[in-house]
Amino acid sequence: MSGSIFGNHFRITTWGESHGPAIGVVIDGCPAGLALSTEDIQPFLDRRKPGQSKYTTKRNESEQIQILSGIFEGKTTGTPISLIVYNQDQRSKDYKNLAATYRPGHADYTFDAKYGFRDYRGGGRSSGRETIGRVAAGAIASKILHTLGITIQAYTKAIGPYSIAPSDYHFDEINRNPLYMPNAQTAKKAEEFLSDCMEQQDSAGGVIECRIEHLPVGIGEPVFSKLDATLAKAIMSIGAVKAVEIGDGFSASSALGSQNNDAFCLDKNGHISKSTNHSGGILGGMSDGDTVILRAAFKPTPSIAKVQNTVTKQGEATTLSITGRHDPVIVPRAVVVVESMAALTVLDLMFSNMHSNLDGILNFYKK
C-alpha cells in the first residue's frame, strides 16, 4: 500500500492499524535545535482521544505518546523523529460478524476490491485512529509555526442543522463545551440534536472551520502546489471529509465580480492590505497576508446501530446493525486533526518558500 506519506520538506509517514499493537508516525525534515518533549505533543492528542463526552466513543484509550528517536537532551537532532502510541482497549470481537459483510459508508468493499484482503477490525488503516500520527506530527509543526508567530485555530462551525454565523463567534467559548463550538447557545442546541440522534440509533455530520493567522505573503506555489490546493488535499485526506472550501467557497459562484473582489488598501501602518477577505487569505495559490480561512464538511459517522441494507462478500443480500463503540458525531474529535493537517501543510510550504528567490539563498549562505 502506498500513500501513507505526506509532505516534501517536512515529511511524515503514518503507520499502524486501529486494532494492531500500536499506531505512530515518523517525521523526516524537522530542523535540529527545537526544544521538544512529550509535553508539547500530548495536549494535542488529548483533544482527539475518545471518551471526552457522551458524544464520543467509549473506547478507553489514554493515547500516551512516546518518543523513540530524534531527540537528545531535550532538543531535536535533525534526524527522523519516531513517535508511538500503544493501543490498549481493542475489542476485535465486536467486528467478527463483519468479516464477510460490507458496512455501508465504510471502505470495506473498496479495500476488498482493490487488495483482495482487508482488516475488518475497526477498519484497519481506514480507522479514525490513523489520525493519531497526523496529530502528533501536527503538534510539532504547530510549535515551529508558533515560534514564527503563526497561529492556527480550528473549531466546530456547524453540527447537523445548527450553524454559527461569524458575527456570533465567541472564541473563548470553544474549549468550554464538548463540541468545540464558538457559541454556547448553539452548542447547547447541537447537543440536544445529537442526543436525539443517539436515541434514534443514528449519527450526524458537521462543518469544521480553521483560521491561519499571521502567515507571510507568498506562501504556496502558483501552479500545482498552490496553498489552497495543498490545503484541500491535506484536509480531504482526513476520513469522512466530503468537501473543502476556502474563503467564500461555494457562495463565490453566485456573487458578482464587483462583490467578490477584495479591494486593496493601506492599513494604519502603511502596509498593503485588503478591505475584505472573500479570497480567504489566498490569491493565485499564494497567501496574501490576510487570515487564511478554510472549512471542511464531515459526513455523518457511518457506524450506526440502525438497521441498514447491505450485501456480503459472496454477494448475498442481508441487513446489518453495527454494534460496538462509535462516535455519534466525528466532528468534535476531528477539530484538532484539521488543525494539525493545516499546520503540516503550511510548514512544509514555508520550508519550500525559503529558496523561492536568489536573495533568500544569498542571505542565508552569506556570512
Side-chain angles (χ1 to χ4, degrees), residues 211-285:
R211 302 171 67 89
I212 306 171
E213 307 272 5
H214 312 303
L215 196 61
V217 178
I219 303 303
E221 306 301 327
V223 186
F224 294 117
S225 295
K226 290 179 168 68
L227 174 57
D228 42 1
T230 310
L231 281 169
K233 177 182 178 180
I235 303 304
M236 283 293 292
S237 75
I238 302 170
V241 173
K242 303 304 293 182
V244 174
E245 62 177 12
I246 308 289
D248 283 3
F250 282 100
S251 65
S253 65
S254 59
L256 300 174
S258 56
Q259 298 169 323
N260 186 247
N261 287 343
D262 297 308
F264 286 108
C265 59
L266 297 180
D267 64 18
K268 61 182 180 181
N269 296 314
H271 299 140
I272 295 175
S273 184
K274 300 179 354 235
S275 58
T276 54
N277 191 22
H278 300 294
S279 72
I282 303 173
L283 289 171

Side-chain angles (χ1 to χ4, degrees), residues 119-120 145 191 209 261 284:
D119 184 347
Y120 57 83
L145 291 172
E191 287 184 52
E209 189 167 83
N261 287 343

Side-chain angles (χ1 to χ4, degrees), residues 285-309:
M286 297 167 283
S287 56
D288 63 22
D290 213 332
T291 301
V292 173
I293 301 175
L294 67 88
R295 284 171 292 278
F298 283 75
K299 71 177 184 179
T301 313
S303 294
I304 56 175
K306 182 170 286 190
V307 176
Q308 302 175 82
N309 293 321

Side-chain angles (χ1 to χ4, degrees), residues 99-121:
T101 304
Y102 295 137
R103 296 170 296 171
H106 287 78
D108 299 348
Y109 169 66
T110 47
F111 250 87
D112 260 354
K114 181 177 178 67
Y115 299 105
F117 179 83
R118 66 183 171 92
D119 184 347
Y120 57 83
R121 306 165 304 162

Side-chain angles (χ1 to χ4, degrees), residues 6 12 26 75 86 106 108-109 114 136 138 141 147 150 157 178 184 198 214 223 226 263 284 294 302 316 354:
F6 180 81
I12 71 167
V26 176
K75 291 188 176 182
Y86 288 98
H106 287 78
D108 299 348
Y109 169 66
K114 181 177 178 67
T147 65
I150 298 165
K157 178 178 177 62
M198 294 168 69
H214 312 303
V223 186
K226 290 179 168 68
L294 67 88
E316 300 169 339
M354 292 172 67

